[in-house]
Amino acid sequence: MTSQHDPDRWSRLTAVAGEALAAAKVGEDAVAVDLVTGYLSGSPEGNEEIRELVLLLFSECSGMVAALGSGGATPVKMQVFDEDGQEVPIDDADPPVRTAIRTLLAEVHGDEEAAAEQIEIALTNGAPQELATVVLQALRWTVKLAAECQTRDLEVPDWITDSLEE
C-alpha cells in the first residue's frame, strides 16, 4: 500500500479514513464522504488514492468479518434493507449498494483483484453520488463492525480504534 514515491501515503490515507470514520460515527455522512472524495480528489493521484482508501476500508471490514465469523467457522450474514427497513435480495439493492456488497464479499473471499474491479467500476462509470454511496457504505460497515468486534473483545486495527474513540 505504501508507494515508493510517497512513504507517508499510508499515514495520510489512514488519517483521512480515520477522520471520515469519526464523522460517520456521529452521523455526519456528508462530511465523511467529502473527507474521502473531496480531499483526495484534490491530490495529484486523486482517483488512485480514493481507490486505495476505499479498498483499505473494505479490507479492514473483511478482517473484522473474519474475526466475527471465527475465521470462517461461524457464518456472518449480509443483509440489505430498503428505506422502509424491509430486507431485500442483494440483486434488488441499488447499484452502488450492490457494488459495496460485491466489493466486501470479494475481500472476504480473498479476491483483492475482484474487489479492486468493483471500485474501479464505481470510479469510472458511476455518478459522483454512486461513489459517495459506496464510500458511505464502507464507512458505516467499518464503524459497525469495529463496534461489534470491540463488544466481543476481538481485535480492531489501532487506527480504527483511535478514530472512533472520540
Side-chain angles (χ1 to χ4, degrees), residues 75-91:
V76 175
K77 184 177 180 180
M78 298 253 339
Q79 296 173 290
V80 179
F81 298 93
D82 63 16
E83 301 82 32
D84 299 324
Q86 300 297 312
E87 186 174 0
V88 297
I90 291 172
D91 290 335

Side-chain angles (χ1 to χ4, degrees), residues 13 19 78 141:
L13 290 174
E19 287 180 44
M78 298 253 339
W141 285 340

Side-chain angles (χ1 to χ4, degrees), residues 11-166:
S11 296
R12 188 173 62 256
L13 290 174
T14 55
V16 172
E19 287 180 44
L21 285 170
K25 180 183 178 190
V26 296
E28 294 178 2
D29 295 348
V31 171
V33 170
D34 193 49
L35 279 164
V36 174
T37 59
Y39 170 79
L40 292 176
S41 63
S43 92
E45 298 179 53
N47 274 358
E48 179 62 31
E49 288 194 342
I50 292 170
R51 181 183 305 105
E52 278 190 54
L53 191 144
V54 174
L55 286 170
L56 168 66
L57 290 170
F58 279 112
S59 175
E60 298 292 17
C61 284
S62 172
M64 290 184 283
V65 166
L68 288 166
S70 304
T74 307
V76 175
K77 184 177 180 180
M78 298 253 339
Q79 296 173 290
V80 179
F81 298 93
D82 63 16
E83 301 82 32
D84 299 324
Q86 300 297 312
E87 186 174 0
V88 297
I90 291 172
D91 290 335
D92 292 343
D94 291 336
V97 174
R98 282 196 312 264
T99 297
I101 292 167
R102 288 178 180 142
T103 304
L104 180 57
L105 289 173
E107 283 285 350
V108 166
H109 292 287
D111 192 345
E112 292 177 7
E113 187 175 318
E117 287 172 9
Q118 289 297 316
I119 298 306
E120 187 62 33
I121 290 168
L123 280 167
T124 58
N125 299 335
Q129 187 55 42
E130 290 183 19
L131 177 60
T133 300
V134 172
V135 168
L136 190 57
Q137 197 65 59
L139 292 167
R140 286 178 177 162
W141 285 340
T142 304
V143 169
K144 288 179 182 178
L145 288 166
E148 188 61 29
C149 283
Q150 288 174 327
T151 298
R152 298 183 192 191
D153 290 326
L154 298 171
E155 191 170 324
V156 175
D158 290 341
W159 72 268
I160 294 174
T161 303
D162 293 346
S163 301
L164 299 175
E165 282 180 349
E166 285 118 37

